[in-house]
Amino acid sequence: MAMLSKKNKEALFNPLSKDNPVLVQILGICSALAVTASLEPAIVMGISVICVLAFSNVIISFLRKTIPTNIRIIVQLVVVAALVIIVQQVLIAYNYDVSKQLSVFIGLIITNCILMGRLEAFAMHNSPWPSFLDGIGNGLGYTIVLMIVAFFRELLGSGTLFGFHVIPQWCYDHGYENNGLMILAPMALITVGCIIWVHRSRNKELQEN
């Protein structure tokens, strides 16, 4: 089936590892520093990016033959901005506490280089269905990295996961202490660097000669 062609599968699955936007293309690092102090906001941020990326890819793909070349970036920004506003309002309506935690970072999805990169490199040159799969794949790849970073930062920095204490009290009674450095932004960058190192050590084709 054309919908499950090799090209479409690559568009969906390659960004999960082989062509991950964060680990391979080194995009979207800023939000990895800002929203990964705990798992819940990281997951919500990831879902928001998936929705915006997938649907903006589809819209731009539909419009690609009618957009004048000299204003294509402006059109892409308008589409992304409209979708971000919708996501932001839905989040405020249904999960206000998390929307407060994410603060301005949902709005800054507009400037996320992953979105602009996929719109320019893929959606402008492909039909809507592959563009949709590309958006889902890159959004998932981004979200996976955010979840891994947030897991270690929240667990080691606060001793919790999703706000629930998971490290037993007897550990603290015997001298264990949470590592406060893990919830600071520099440790997010170091954690991402460690994940990139592990990923590239397991994928020899990504290593530079």
Side-chain angles (χ1 to χ4, degrees):
M1 294 175 61
M3 295 180 67
L4 299 176
S5 66
K6 181 179 179 181
K7 180 181 177 181
N8 289 346
K9 288 180 179 179
E10 289 177 351
L12 178 62
F13 294 114
N14 279 4
L16 302 183
S17 178
K18 183 179 179 181
D19 198 23
N20 187 281
V22 180
L23 303 182
V24 179
Q25 302 174 47
I26 318 298
L27 301 175
I29 296 292
C30 296
S31 53
L33 308 184
V35 302
T36 55
S38 59
L39 268 168
E40 187 176 10
I43 291 173
V44 172
M45 183 68 172
I47 293 171
S48 301
V49 170
I50 291 171
C51 293
V52 173
L53 184 51
F55 287 105
S56 61
N57 261 15
V58 170
I59 294 170
I60 293 299
S61 178
F62 272 119
L63 299 175
R64 71 188 188 281
K65 295 182 180 179
T66 62
I67 301 174
T69 303
N70 58 334
I71 64 166
R72 70 186 189 282
I73 301 298
I74 297 174
V75 174
Q76 292 169 13
L77 284 172
V78 169
V79 170
V80 172
L83 291 169
V84 168
I85 290 171
I86 293 172
V87 168
Q88 192 170 37
Q89 293 305 308
V90 170
L91 187 56
I92 289 172
Y94 292 99
N95 201 335
Y96 183 74
D97 291 339
V98 174
S99 73
K100 292 290 287 183
Q101 290 182 56
L102 291 173
S103 184
V104 299
F105 297 106
I106 287 291
L108 289 176
I109 291 175
I110 297 169
T111 62
N112 193 314
C113 44
I114 297 174
L115 277 89
M116 299 309 297
R118 298 323 298 166
L119 293 176
E120 186 70 10
F122 199 92
M124 287 293 292
H125 307 285
N126 291 275
S127 58
W129 177 244
S131 297
F132 177 75
L133 294 178
D134 180 80
I136 293 292
N138 279 275
L140 284 172
Y142 167 83
T143 302
I144 289 170
V145 176
L146 254 64
M147 289 176 62
I148 294 172
V149 175
F151 174 85
F152 286 107
R153 291 187 70 196
E154 183 177 3
L155 179 64
L156 300 178
S158 303
T160 62
L161 291 175
F162 293 105
F164 296 100
H165 283 280
V166 295
I167 295 180
Q169 182 59 43
W170 63 264
C171 291
Y172 295 101
D173 294 340
H174 286 78
Y176 178 83
E177 292 186 11
N178 295 326
N179 186 348
L181 288 175
M182 289 299 295
I183 59 177
L184 300 180
M187 287 307 299
L189 185 60
I190 292 172
T191 305
V192 171
C194 291
I195 296 170
I196 292 173
W197 172 66
V198 171
H199 182 260
R200 296 202 175 194
S201 69
R202 295 175 61 89
N203 294 271
K204 303 297 184 182
E205 69 276 9
L206 299 177
Q207 298 178 12
E208 298 180 2
N209 296 322

